[in-house]
Amino acid sequence: MIANTLPLLTWRWLKVNESLIELPEVKDQVNEIVANEGEKVEAMFDISELAQEAQASRHTKINIIAKKNSTVDIYYIARCLEEEKTLTDIMADVEEGATVNLIQVEAGAKNTVTNYVANLKGKQSKTNVEAVYFANESKSLDIFYHIKQMGIETESNILVNGALKDKARKTFKGTIDFKRGSMGSKGSEEEFATLLDDDVRSIAVPVLLCEEDDVEGVHAASAGKIDQDILFYIMSRGLDIEEAKKMIVQTKLAPTIDKLPTEELRNSVWEHIESRI
């Protein structure tokens, strides 16, 4: 199966134009979420164990319709280490004055492909994405966000923080797409990767596409090892190197994890990540 295809293809040798994933004998799990006019809807997806003992691959679909002046809050947490391959498709149609917020935590399967496509159709429609990821051993992670800003004065914000350890690899592809007719719209995307070992691989492809004049778009991406001066400073206060690394990673991931709806869930997610750093 081909997933996460970039809307504007780049050089083939980069191997980021699309992601290939095989999902044999896996049935789609489709979730429909509709927020009627003026309504506020909240949905939680917490994948912490296999749905079926013999099924280690998963394809989940989440379709969202946010009608006029509604708000949809989606919490998506994937932390099942037993899953071999997962593909998650999230699609949102956002009407006038509506907002879709996505809080996403990716810290599970050996091979993860995940994407979020938002169609900001109505005037002053909006989407906010905050995501964190952690991958260790030889796990691979392919993240794709594609925001299509169609209406007047739409707004999108993407903020992603993550950490890679051992021989893990990650590809981040974020596209903010200003369509014709999206005058007065704004879009922002940022992705920051912390590299805990020399053998990890981090690729970031932030893209801005524009068919309109009166719009504002910004993007940024960075990847780097932990600052040795900061590490030394923390260790000078009595922590060993592993404890110091955990503290630094926590400072980067915690702001998003802290937005999960319950303290029990926040603590559980952080313990799951901390045990693998």
Side-chain angles (χ1 to χ4, degrees):
M1 179 181 294
I2 298 176
N4 292 7
T5 302
L6 284 173
L8 183 65
L9 301 183
T10 185
W11 293 284
R12 278 282 169 190
W13 60 268
L14 289 174
K15 298 180 180 180
V16 298
N17 285 331
E18 70 274 316
S19 181
L20 302 177
I21 185 168
E22 296 182 6
L23 295 171
E25 300 179 4
V26 177
K27 294 182 179 180
D28 291 351
Q29 303 174 44
V30 181
N31 304 272
E32 304 285 348
I33 298 170
V34 179
N36 294 315
E37 183 173 345
E39 190 176 16
K40 181 166 183 170
V41 174
E42 183 177 293
M44 167 76 73
F45 299 87
D46 185 2
I47 297 93
S48 57
E49 59 184 18
L50 294 176
Q52 299 178 16
E53 287 297 326
Q55 188 169 300
S57 297
R58 171 175 55 84
H59 183 188
T60 299
K61 290 186 177 182
I62 304 171
N63 296 326
I64 304 165
I65 298 176
K67 297 187 178 180
K68 185 176 180 180
N69 295 328
S70 64
T71 301
V72 178
D73 294 329
I74 303 294
Y75 301 95
Y76 181 88
I77 303 101
R79 49 183 172 142
C80 179
L81 299 177
E82 287 71 35
E83 288 187 320
E84 292 287 338
K85 301 174 183 178
T86 68
L87 171 59
T88 302
D89 294 313
I90 306 174
M91 173 76 74
D93 288 329
V94 191
E95 299 181 5
E96 181 180 346
T99 300
V100 174
N101 300 310
L102 172 63
I103 302 293
Q104 184 171 9
V105 178
E106 286 291 346
K110 295 177 179 64
N111 182 5
T112 298
V113 177
T114 180
N115 62 72
Y116 171 59
V117 179
N119 300 308
L120 303 184
K121 296 180 175 180
K123 179 180 179 180
Q124 296 181 340
S125 55
K126 184 176 181 179
T127 188
N128 299 302
V129 178
E130 282 197 50
V132 296
Y133 61 83
F134 180 80
N136 66 330
E137 299 176 344
S138 57
K139 292 180 170 61
S140 67
L141 177 61
D142 191 295
I143 303 170
F144 178 46
Y145 297 126
H146 187 186
I147 313 300
K148 303 175 185 178
Q149 302 193 216
M150 306 173 184
I152 296 173
E153 298 175 359
T154 59
E155 184 177 342
S156 65
N157 297 287
I158 300 172
L159 176 61
V160 182
N161 275 287
L164 302 172
K165 189 175 184 291
D166 303 322
K167 296 183 178 180
R169 58 176 295 164
K170 173 245 34 176
T171 300
F172 167 79
K173 296 176 284 190
T175 299
I176 295 176
D177 194 351
F178 295 105
K179 298 296 187 181
R180 190 169 302 280
S182 61
M183 296 82 68
S185 294
K186 297 179 180 180
S188 172
E189 60 174 322
E190 298 175 287
E191 194 261 344
F192 306 99
T194 300
L195 312 181
L196 299 176
D197 287 302
D198 293 334
D199 293 329
V200 300
R201 184 182 181 191
S202 176
I203 299 174
V205 188
V207 177
L208 292 176
L209 301 177
C210 187
E211 299 176 0
E212 192 55 72
D213 294 328
D214 182 22
V215 295
E216 180 181 329
V218 296
H219 63 183
S222 70
K225 296 180 180 180
I226 291 175
D227 188 298
Q228 294 301 304
D229 291 337
I230 295 175
L231 193 62
F232 176 79
Y233 177 82
I234 296 174
M235 292 175 65
S236 71
R237 296 304 187 264
L239 298 180
D240 64 30
I241 187 168
E242 295 304 321
E243 291 172 328
K245 286 182 178 180
K246 287 180 183 180
M247 179 176 290
I248 292 171
V249 172
Q250 184 178 25
T251 62
K252 297 186 180 293
L253 307 190
T256 299
I257 294 175
D258 285 347
K259 293 185 178 180
L260 296 175
T262 68
E263 183 177 0
E264 180 182 2
L265 180 60
R266 293 191 291 269
N267 291 338
S268 177
V269 168
W270 178 245
E271 287 173 4
H272 170 79
I273 294 174
E274 186 181 46
S275 66
R276 296 160 57 199
I277 295 177

